Amino acid sequence: EPEVTQTPSHQVTQMGQEVILRCVPISNHLYFYWYRQILGQKVEFLVSFYNNEISEKSEIFDDQFSVERPDGSNFTLKIRSTKLEDSAMYFCASSEYLRETYNSPLHFGNGTRLTVT
Amino acid sequence: SQKIEQNSEALNIQEGKTATLTCNYTNYSPAYLQWYRQDPGRGPVFLLLIRENEKEKRKERLKVTFDTTLKQSLFHITASQPADSATYLCALVLPNDYKLSFGAGTTVTVRA
């Protein structure tokens, strides 16, 4: 069964450094998402992406964050200057349906654990 | 304000019993509600979607109900097994919103 893959599985970085988290969504999916989960807390929406542009973003997704689909397969999340509070699991997800997209089931990757020291 | 609330306490049950989890929402009526399973250190995995005009949905040993009057969805795991131990998340689209929002989840532990 096709799956969403994320790399790296674990990233350790120093405060103030830039990180890029990478994702390969399922190939025929058109909608892409980033969610994050701070340890012990709920899964929180960051951003959704369709047709090479952001369609929705949360308050968390400030100017320090950006997303890109650099080619036909990868989807990346960049954090320009990491803070301690950015430490979390970051999940990429994708979905396929065109109609009623916001209610379409999401297919998640297994996440990148980001640790900011 | 709109909220998604799940059983706040963890659920510990004996193998073979039925686990029942609750997802309550307030101040609105979602057209759909979804349930996911999350294992430690892994991403959520989609299980079931139920529409507002469906009272019940089943998938193998899983059953979901959707009561729009009570503003509640119940998620049942029948004949539970230790492999069912995980955190179960409900998710829906809040009003005037364009993204799937998740509840905090209920952790289920099935004892052999």
Side-chain angles (χ1 to χ4, degrees):
Chain A
E1 185 175 322
E3 57 181 25
V4 175
T5 56
Q6 291 187 244
T7 55
S9 56
H10 192 184
Q11 173 95 44
V12 180
T13 189
Q14 287 193 325
M15 196 166 54
Q17 295 296 304
E18 174 183 287
V19 294
I20 297 176
L21 310 182
R22 302 179 193 280
C23 169
V24 179
I26 294 172
S27 61
N28 65 335
H29 285 186
L30 299 175
Y31 294 83
F32 313 118
Y33 311 82
W34 285 99
Y35 281 77
R36 79 171 186 190
Q37 186 173 34
I38 295 170
L39 187 64
Q41 298 187 23
K42 63 181 180 180
V43 176
E44 301 177 287
F45 172 82
L46 291 178
V47 66
S48 58
F49 191 86
Y50 168 69
N51 201 25
N52 284 321
E53 60 182 30
I54 290 173
S55 32
E56 187 78 12
K57 60 183 181 179
S58 72
E59 292 174 352
I60 303 167
F61 194 88
D62 61 22
D63 292 344
Q64 293 301 310
F65 291 85
S66 62
V67 289
E68 193 179 30
R69 187 152 163 83
D71 53 44
S73 58
N74 291 286
F75 180 49
T76 62
L77 174 70
K78 182 193 290 187
I79 309 175
R80 269 182 264 284
S81 177
T82 49
K83 308 186 197 73
L84 294 176
E85 55 264 37
D86 293 329
S87 295
M89 279 287 279
Y90 287 81
F91 294 110
C92 173
S94 65
S95 66
E96 64 177 322
Y97 299 111
L98 289 178
R99 294 184 62 191
E100 301 168 332
T101 297
Y102 312 120
N103 287 291
S104 297
L106 301 185
H107 298 256
F108 284 84
N110 279 322
T112 293
R113 181 173 298 285
L114 177 66
T115 303
V116 182
T117 61
Chain B
S1 64
Q2 295 89 17
K3 288 184 186 177
I4 307 168
E5 294 179 336
Q6 296 190 244
N7 309 56
S8 56
E9 295 181 11
L11 197 60
N12 291 287
I13 61 168
Q14 187 71 39
E15 183 176 9
K17 301 293 186 186
T18 295
T20 298
L21 286 63
T22 305
C23 178
N24 293 299
Y25 51 93
T26 57
N27 297 330
Y28 64 104
S29 298
Y32 304 81
L33 193 143
Q34 302 184 31
W35 284 90
Y36 289 76
R37 168 184 174 139
Q38 187 176 26
D39 290 284
R42 314 277 285 187
V45 175
F46 170 74
L47 296 173
L48 284 163
L49 179 151
I50 187 165
R51 294 175 172 78
E52 61 179 339
N53 61 351
E54 297 175 316
K55 295 299 182 190
E56 183 179 294
K57 200 85 170 273
R58 290 176 185 259
K59 178 182 174 182
E60 298 172 354
R61 294 182 294 105
L62 306 179
K63 184 178 86 170
V64 171
T65 61
F66 196 3
D67 189 326
T68 54
T69 302
L70 292 178
K71 297 190 182 299
Q72 181 182 80
S73 175
L74 297 179
F75 178 85
H76 305 272
I77 307 171
T78 58
S80 59
Q81 303 168 1
D84 295 326
S85 299
T87 297
Y88 292 87
L89 314 175
C90 75
L92 43 78
V93 177
L94 295 170
N96 302 315
D97 210 357
Y98 303 98
K99 60 183 184 285
L100 199 62
S101 293
F102 287 83
T106 299
T107 298
V108 175
T109 303
V110 181
R111 303 186 308 274

